Amino acid sequence: MSAQRLVEQFESLEKQDHAARLAMWMFLGSETLLFGALFAVYAYYRGMYPDEFVQALHHNSVALGTTNTVVLITSSFTVALGVHFIRENKARLTAGLFVVSTLFGAVFLVVKGIEYAHHIHENALPSGMYTFIDKPPAGVVLGYTLYWFMTALHGLHVIAGMIMLAVVAVLCLKGRYGAHRNVAVENVGLYWHLVDVVWIFLWPLFYLTD
Amino acid sequence: MISAHVTTPKLVVSWLALLVLTFLSFGTSRLGLGEAELVIALAISVVKTLVVLFIFMHLVEQRFANRLIVILTFLFIVLLVTLTVADPLTRKTFPPRPDPAASPYP
Amino acid sequence: MSQATIDADSKPDPLGVGADHPDYLRADSGLRSWLLTKDHKRIALMFYVGVILFLGLGGTFALVLRTELLTPEQTFIDASTYNQMFTLHGITMVWLFMIPAIPTVFGNFVLPIMLGAKDLAFPRINLASFYVYVLSAIILLGAMLAGGADTGWTFYVPYSTTSPTAVTWMGIGIFVNGISSIMTSVNFIVTTHTMRAKGLSWHRMPLFVWASYATSIIILFATPVLGMSLVLLALDHAFGLSLFNPRYGGDPVLFQHLFWFYSHPAVYIMILPSFGVISEVVCSFSHNQPASYRAIAYSSLGIAFIGFFTWGHHMFVAGLSEFDAGVFGALSMFVAIFSAIKVFTWVATLRGGSISFATPMLYFLWFLFLFVFGGMTGVAVATQSLDVHWHDTYFVVAHFHFIMVGGTLTSFLAAAHYWFPKMFGRLYDERVGLLTSVAVFIGFVFTFLPQFLLGNGGMPRRYFTYPERYQWLNVLSTGGAWLLGAGLLLALGNLLIALKWGKRAGPNPWGSRSFEWITASPPSKHNFEETPEIERSAYDYTLSEEVARERAKAR
């Protein structure tokens, strides 16, 4: 079984797994820089308009944001447990934990959706559509546009992560992965943790602005 | 290759630590410390990230190459943000804020 | 073929390793075996075709531009077509030719062989990278037909957000192109880390691998930032996202920060692989080990790193703060130190070597002249007080063409000639090769040297008409451009003829000691049937006298 999955260009399975893992870390590094550009935009405008920027973001609900932080951290924990158990060959347990994590992801999206619905109702929308405050001072609209763009981009990553988690969970149940074959499980886990890490930074920047 | 093992108790402790840090971060944001608040919140976020990276993402037991990628990512983001932000904060000759009248839009 | 051992003393296999297997060109046949291949060598050839096509397209745009500038007033195209032409020239040359050129063609072909590997770490990702590149080319060509772009290749806001041309689709095309580069660079880094043959330590690797590694690091971390800034631009152009719009307090200078965070390192994405090629060429043709292996290897990493923090020198007159301008100006000059280390090391490598003047070696000399000239003017332009005078004039155009065309194009041609016997198993005609090389060089110098004078005399770039006193220099420049174009066509013709009628090349026609020359020419499908064991460095010319004598007999 394990000899079969060694592709011809690699010398050993250990190297092949190392290659897959390294590639995933590099992809995550690249993804982080994608958000890094947006963090630079955030920092630039927050430095330029310290008061107006915070004023705009103060509107966000701290309770919902913090709920989502706890939800994502917990989902990250269940994913980490799942990766831990696949190494001990407990594929069914891993599948169960990944399903739970996917559901946590869904909870996250529902909470985010409630927030978005609230904002739409109040016309706290990005760029030209922002009419929450009449004649907003410079910087307010930028803050809100960034909020929408960064959280929506993060939301897309959550959806992508959920799809991957669900697929790996199904494959675990089918007996595809075990103690000696789990790099894919690990890599999907890594992706989900990245989604968590990005949110760990988005949360204080967009919700804890007092 | 594997120098330290991530075990179930370690994972549980990390999870609890992350939750504690989250509420710590939330608590300090209610104190009204002004500018310092952002710094504290980001510092706590960095600590949380390190916990996720080293325990949840098993960085403690991986090769140096993977750590190097993390170090470079962090370094490049910090330098991108610092050098970019330094611009509007240190402008003297040029206007520090753009002129809304210069908008090309109708 | 049993396991090959590559050490200092053993006689090389006269036919090359893997000569008893069918070579990669004949191993499978049919269109399907090409389009769905996972062989890095075939993917490299498909990239080769694509890259050359876009060099032709970008070159055509350039010739239209230069011909238009023959006379001070309108010559044969109108002003808005002219704006389109210089934009499309830039976009095509930067993203469809120069950034992919050396890594995807020669990197793909020789990097795994240099490491003693059978293929790259992820052959499927490699093939996907090619198709993503094709997709990006289709999107960009579609955008060119559906309105083009007239913003210049830099897409500066606010104009680009209101331009009536197809800016949105250009942004999307370049974003997709970035995905292709990232795929290739992940592949290169992982391959270098995990697939080196037994005994091939980091300090025995050919220098081309170091250069590709450094390039890949830049691509990996800089490309996403460009992708994001172009997504923001495309969303602004299409839906009015307005993150850079002064009406809401947005700052157009911020777009330049994000754009140049990628696009300045992009210059090193273009030039670092060239450094790799040049290092290989200079050692192979002087039959000498590099004067300092570590100096060349580490300065590549140094350039890759420092290159990230110099982007502000494009923005000295854009409204950048004095503090940032000072920091960026100083950091920019640091790059010159690393480049100088390389140049001196190459020149020192010639000393005591047994030099043979083949076409790649001649391109090395042109490279040296053009790169040093372009680099020194770069230091001048990085000086803020001088930049205020030269900014947005032809001086800057001449400077970056000296670096990017003089550096990348000459080393692309050097690589095309140097690895031609390895890729196709034939020798090109050396005399024609030397002649075309001279034509390319003279054409190049005549095109861009007058532009330094034009810029210093005050002619701004991107202008459609100009005062009559600039005409003689513009005529020189246009004549040079036509000669350069003709030289390139002749070089291409020479290689195409050699493809069919060239003399058979042995495994190692240049007497090089680098590892790719141990395989048969062209290499078999798996390069090495058994992973070789490597017991020497790639530049072990301790037998240089014998090798030189053998070569003298063979020629």
Side-chain angles (χ1 to χ4, degrees):
Chain A
M1 163 90 192
S2 57
Q4 277 172 5
R5 79 180 176 93
L6 179 67
V7 288
E8 62 183 14
Q9 67 268 25
F10 283 103
E11 280 169 24
S12 66
L13 270 178
E14 196 205 319
K15 279 198 173 181
Q16 186 176 325
D17 287 353
H18 173 49
R21 217 175 278 135
L22 178 61
M24 192 65 194
W25 278 99
M26 289 168 57
F27 171 69
L28 296 186
S30 211
E31 277 267 23
T32 315
L33 259 291
L34 197 71
F35 280 100
L38 292 170
F39 284 121
V41 175
Y42 179 96
Y44 193 88
Y45 285 144
R46 186 159 178 173
M48 205 175 241
Y49 306 101
D51 302 327
E52 296 87 340
F53 209 78
V54 169
Q55 180 203 336
L57 298 177
H58 195 56
H59 172 59
N60 290 335
S61 157
V62 186
L64 290 179
T66 311
T67 311
N68 260 350
T69 310
V70 173
V71 168
L72 264 197
I73 284 180
T74 311
S75 75
S76 221
F77 170 62
T78 50
V79 165
L81 276 181
V83 172
H84 180 68
F85 285 124
I86 196 73
R87 290 182 176 182
E88 295 179 354
N89 219 1
K90 295 172 182 161
R92 299 187 68 85
L93 193 52
T94 301
L97 283 164
F98 274 29
V99 169
V100 170
S101 316
T102 317
L103 292 177
F104 274 127
V107 170
F108 176 89
L109 287 178
V110 169
V111 174
K112 200 86 213 90
I114 292 171
E115 266 188 89
Y116 279 159
H118 198 58
H119 295 323
I120 292 170
H121 188 66
E122 291 175 327
N123 279 330
L125 293 165
S127 63
M129 295 185 286
Y130 185 92
T131 50
F132 179 60
I133 308 173
D134 204 29
K135 290 194 183 143
V140 169
V141 175
L142 293 177
Y144 236 70
T145 310
L146 259 185
Y147 160 75
W148 272 92
F149 190 74
M150 288 178 83
T151 51
L153 187 68
H154 177 260
L156 287 180
H157 281 74
V158 171
I159 293 171
M162 282 167 64
I163 292 172
M164 286 193 250
L165 283 175
V167 169
V168 168
V170 170
L171 290 177
C172 273
L173 283 180
K174 284 189 175 173
R176 178 92 169 267
Y177 303 116
H180 298 288
R181 177 174 191 177
N182 51 35
V183 187
V185 179
E186 215 177 295
N187 279 351
V188 168
L190 289 180
Y191 187 82
W192 190 258
H193 294 310
L194 175 85
V195 171
D196 184 28
V197 166
V198 171
W199 184 260
I200 285 178
F201 282 94
L202 289 182
W203 175 59
L205 292 180
F206 286 116
Y207 292 93
L208 299 184
T209 50
D210 200 13
Chain B
M1 174 185 157
I2 294 174
S3 53
H5 249 309
V6 175
T7 53
T8 328
K10 279 188 192 172
L11 288 174
V12 176
V13 170
S14 315
W15 175 52
L16 293 175
L18 286 172
L19 290 181
V20 169
L21 285 169
T22 303
F23 286 104
L24 197 64
S25 188
F26 177 76
T28 43
S29 79
R30 302 293 102 182
L31 294 177
L33 298 175
E35 285 292 298
E37 238 173 47
L38 181 67
V39 180
I40 294 170
L42 285 179
I44 293 178
S45 291
V46 169
V47 175
K48 282 160 84 179
T49 305
L50 289 177
V51 173
V52 173
L53 280 171
F54 277 92
I55 309 295
F56 282 4
M57 297 170 93
H58 296 99
L59 203 61
V60 279
E61 55 189 55
Q62 284 178 10
R63 295 192 186 205
F64 177 69
N66 301 11
R67 292 186 202 180
L68 184 70
I69 300 291
V70 175
I71 295 169
L72 285 177
T73 308
F74 189 71
L75 193 71
F76 284 138
I77 289 191
V78 167
L79 282 161
L80 166 65
V81 172
T82 340
L83 282 171
T84 311
V85 174
D87 174 22
L89 295 183
T90 54
R91 279 184 200 163
K92 289 198 188 90
T93 319
F94 298 109
R97 291 174 169 204
D99 175 13
S103 169
Y105 297 85
Chain C
M1 180 68 41
S2 62
Q3 186 179 30
T5 305
I6 301 170
D7 60 26
D9 313 312
S10 68
K11 277 269 170 235
D13 190 331
L15 290 172
V17 174
D20 43 359
H21 290 267
D23 65 57
Y24 77 101
L25 294 167
R26 290 174 192 81
D28 304 294
S29 60
L31 190 64
R32 205 183 144 81
S33 76
W34 277 92
L35 293 182
L36 296 179
T37 184
K38 281 181 274 165
D39 183 354
H40 65 103
K41 299 180 286 297
R42 288 192 165 197
I43 295 170
L45 286 200
M46 296 201 289
F47 265 118
Y48 210 166
V49 173
V51 155
I52 297 248
L53 283 180
F54 287 110
L55 174 63
L57 182 67
T60 314
F61 289 141
L63 288 180
V64 171
L65 281 179
R66 279 317 320 167
T67 311
E68 170 54 41
L69 289 173
L70 262 180
T71 59
E73 295 305 315
Q74 179 176 355
T75 311
F76 76 112
I77 54 175
D78 60 38
S80 65
T81 316
Y82 178 83
N83 287 349
Q84 294 261 353
M85 283 297 133
F86 69 68
T87 306
L88 300 184
H89 166 68
I91 292 173
T92 314
M93 284 302 203
V94 169
W95 282 291
L96 294 176
F97 172 66
M98 267 191 296
I99 286 177
I102 295 178
T104 60
V105 180
F106 302 109
N108 246 338
F109 195 97
V110 298
L111 187 121
I113 311 182
M114 280 176 165
L115 296 173
K118 288 180 180 162
D119 206 322
L120 285 169
F122 308 109
R124 283 198 186 86
I125 293 184
N126 197 17
L127 184 65
S129 168
F130 173 70
Y131 284 112
V132 173
Y133 170 77
V134 170
L135 177 68
S136 83
I138 290 172
I139 295 175
L140 287 172
L141 285 175
M144 285 176 196
L145 295 175
D150 58 356
T151 58
W153 75 280
T154 51
F155 298 109
Y156 276 4
V157 294
Y159 175 64
S160 58
T161 58
T162 52
S163 163
T165 52
V167 172
T168 305
W169 284 102
M170 288 287 176
I172 293 170
I174 294 167
F175 183 85
V176 174
N177 189 280
I179 297 173
S180 161
S181 324
I182 291 177
M183 283 172 159
T184 301
S185 67
V186 167
N187 229 336
F188 282 4
I189 295 183
V190 172
T191 307
T192 312
H193 270 281
T194 59
M195 302 190 61
R196 279 169 288 130
K198 214 176 286 171
L200 184 59
S201 61
W202 284 82
H203 289 107
R204 281 178 178 172
M205 291 193 312
L207 289 162
F208 183 71
V209 180
W210 280 95
S212 299
Y213 187 86
T215 315
S216 303
I217 293 274
I218 307 180
I219 292 178
L220 188 67
F221 290 113
T223 314
V225 177
L226 173 82
M228 188 41 74
S229 52
L230 288 177
V231 164
L232 293 177
L233 171 64
L235 286 175
D236 200 339
H237 190 256
F239 306 111
L241 187 73
S242 304
L243 260 185
F244 307 111
N245 187 350
R247 181 186 190 176
Y248 303 118
D251 192 354
V253 176
L254 178 58
F255 176 80
Q256 297 189 21
H257 275 294
L258 296 182
F259 181 83
W260 289 114
F261 181 81
Y262 166 81
S263 296
H264 191 73
V267 174
Y268 305 113
I269 295 176
M270 300 166 199
I271 200 79
L272 275 173
S274 314
F275 290 162
V277 170
I278 292 301
S279 307
E280 293 298 319
V281 166
V282 75
C283 293
S284 288
F285 288 92
S286 55
H287 302 95
N288 203 357
Q289 59 186 12
S292 168
Y293 179 91
R294 284 170 196 230
I296 296 185
Y298 295 165
S299 58
S300 289
L301 297 181
I303 290 177
F305 188 72
I306 293 291
F308 267 98
F309 313 115
T310 61
W311 79 83
H313 64 226
H314 296 268
M315 302 162 57
F316 284 156
V317 299
L320 195 67
S321 80
E322 299 77 1
F323 170 78
D324 252 24
V327 172
F328 282 126
L331 285 171
S332 304
M333 292 182 192
F334 260 106
V335 177
I337 297 178
F338 292 116
S339 311
I341 290 175
K342 278 188 187 293
V343 168
F344 289 129
T345 316
W346 289 324
V347 175
T349 303
L350 297 176
R351 187 169 173 275
S354 137
I355 299 170
S356 54
F357 267 103
T359 312
M361 192 60 174
L362 203 58
Y363 276 117
F364 160 70
L365 294 182
W366 305 150
F367 172 90
L368 209 58
F369 173 76
L370 300 176
F371 179 70
V372 170
F373 205 108
M376 292 320 288
T377 53
V379 177
V381 180
T383 315
Q384 293 167 58
S385 48
L386 294 172
D387 185 67
V388 171
H389 175 60
W390 284 325
H391 190 88
D392 263 349
T393 68
Y394 263 88
F395 193 90
V396 172
V397 175
H399 155 67
F400 71 72
H401 278 89
F402 257 71
I403 292 281
M404 295 193 334
V405 188
T408 311
L409 190 66
T410 51
S411 52
F412 179 80
L413 288 165
H417 288 86
Y418 174 58
W419 281 309
F420 187 83
K422 186 49 65 191
M423 295 176 99
F424 303 105
R426 306 268 183 178
L427 285 170
Y428 58 88
D429 189 319
E430 197 67 71
R431 284 164 309 169
V432 181
L434 291 170
L435 277 177
T436 54
S437 155
V438 172
V440 165
F441 176 70
I442 294 178
F444 182 88
V445 169
F446 270 95
T447 314
F448 294 108
L449 212 52
Q451 294 187 4
F452 277 116
L453 304 176
L454 278 174
N456 200 37
M459 179 166 163
R461 67 193 282 200
R462 294 178 174 166
Y463 272 35
F464 177 58
T465 54
Y466 53 84
E468 218 154 89
R469 67 195 149 98
Y470 294 134
Q471 195 179 9
W472 69 279
L473 285 168
N474 271 306
V475 169
L476 270 185
S477 180
T478 304
W482 282 102
L483 181 58
L484 177 58
L488 288 176
L489 275 183
L490 287 174
L492 179 66
N494 185 27
L495 292 182
L496 285 178
I497 288 170
L499 218 50
K500 183 111 173 73
W501 293 284
K503 268 190 291 187
R504 292 235 170 251
N508 191 359
W510 313 123
S512 168
R513 301 284 280 164
S514 191
F515 305 132
E516 74 271 26
W517 298 102
I518 289 158
T519 61
S521 304
S524 68
K525 192 179 176 187
H526 292 306
N527 309 334
F528 304 93
E529 295 309 314
E530 289 288 324
T531 309
E533 220 176 310
I534 291 170
E535 293 176 2
R536 62 172 175 82
S537 92
Y539 303 101
D540 190 355
Y541 285 97
T542 41
L543 299 174
S544 60
E545 256 179 75
E546 282 172 44
V547 174
R549 228 177 287 136
E550 261 177 47
R551 272 196 76 254
K553 251 185 284 168
R555 286 208 132 219

